[in-house]
Amino acid sequence: MKKIVSNIGVIAAILLSASVQAMPLLDQGDVTLDSSTGMEWLDLTLTAGMSYNEVMLTDFVVVDGFRYATKEELDLLYQNAGVFDTGGPDSMPQNYEPAKLLLELMGCTSGLLSSEFACDGIEEDWSWGMYLRSDGTWMSMIDAVHDVNRGIVTTSSFYWGDDSRSWREDVGSFLVRDFPEPISSPSVLGLLILGVISVRVKLSRQK
């Protein structure tokens, strides 16, 4: 019986380790789930070429419950992707892999502007997206330059105020949808411990 309880403890440790080491950003098709926050992010390519006002009238917002992300939420997404820093110098090799990951998850928009800038993973791929600040709508840039191993991730690029100008095809919108927070690792551990205790109590009563 002691061996059974010991095995349960080992399984609990393995499950806990897996939950801690699991990648927080999960690809779910047109949506990326940030499992550490419980938020779902819509692919940038689905709103590319749309102005702020146009995006607000889409089913993504009206029906599906998506909304514009704030700077704080976007910073947290970058952080969970492993971004070293945002808004830093142009050359930042530490951000190359996180930027590449974000492009794969959120969609690369540079190829939408011209075939000259096709998203091919060879030279430079990027995505531009709008997010919401208290003083208006601002741009964010994810940039992975493959030939020089450079990654740029910034949330302070430049301001886009309204629909008064023609919109660029390579600009999307960072839309996020809130979901109940997932069970945290400590909670999972607590449930596992309770399960082990219950088994031990049951075994002791059977003796």
Side-chain angles (χ1 to χ4, degrees):
M1 295 299 179
K2 289 183 178 180
K3 187 176 181 180
I4 294 176
V5 174
S6 175
N7 289 341
I8 293 174
V10 171
I11 294 173
I14 293 173
L15 291 174
L16 174 62
S17 175
S19 66
V20 172
Q21 297 176 7
M23 178 63 199
L25 302 184
L26 305 174
D27 187 359
Q28 298 186 331
D30 292 338
V31 170
T32 297
L33 172 64
D34 186 342
S35 61
S36 64
T37 62
M39 290 183 174
E40 286 189 328
W41 294 79
L42 192 68
D43 286 1
L44 287 168
T45 51
L46 296 179
T47 53
M50 296 183 186
S51 67
Y52 174 86
N53 288 344
E54 289 173 336
V55 169
M56 293 301 292
L57 294 176
T58 63
D59 284 347
F60 300 129
V61 174
V62 178
V63 178
D64 300 329
F66 284 94
R67 58 175 175 75
Y68 269 92
T70 65
K71 181 181 186 301
E72 293 73 23
E73 290 168 339
L74 191 54
D75 283 342
L76 187 56
L77 173 70
Y78 288 163
Q79 176 184 323
N80 291 337
V83 170
F84 177 75
D85 190 14
T86 58
D90 285 346
S91 182
M92 192 172 294
Q94 302 96 321
N95 279 349
Y96 175 71
E97 289 300 332
K100 184 179 176 182
L101 171 66
L102 285 168
L103 286 173
E104 292 173 352
L105 291 173
M106 305 295 293
C108 178
T109 65
S110 56
L112 302 176
L113 182 63
S114 168
S115 58
E116 180 183 355
F117 304 106
C119 298
D120 51 18
I122 298 176
E123 295 183 358
E124 180 175 6
D125 295 338
W126 74 78
S127 276
W128 287 358
M130 293 186 292
Y131 64 95
L132 201 59
R133 289 196 344 186
S134 58
D135 54 351
T137 305
W138 285 69
M139 289 294 303
S140 179
M141 180 174 67
I142 305 169
D143 189 4
V145 185
H146 302 268
D147 56 347
V148 295
N149 198 37
R150 178 182 62 164
I152 302 173
V153 181
T154 175
T155 59
S156 57
S157 300
F158 41 85
Y159 172 70
W160 293 80
D162 51 35
D163 287 17
S164 61
R165 56 175 297 168
S166 298
W167 208 246
R168 293 178 53 147
E169 294 179 358
D170 59 345
V171 176
S173 292
F174 283 101
L175 298 183
V176 67
R177 180 166 59 183
D178 301 292
F179 270 84
E181 291 189 8
I183 298 176
S184 62
S185 294
S187 298
V188 172
L189 178 60
L191 291 174
L192 291 172
I193 291 175
L194 286 175
V196 172
I197 292 175
S198 298
V199 171
R200 297 190 66 173
V201 170
K202 183 177 181 179
L203 291 175
S204 65
R205 288 178 177 175
Q206 290 177 351
K207 290 182 179 179

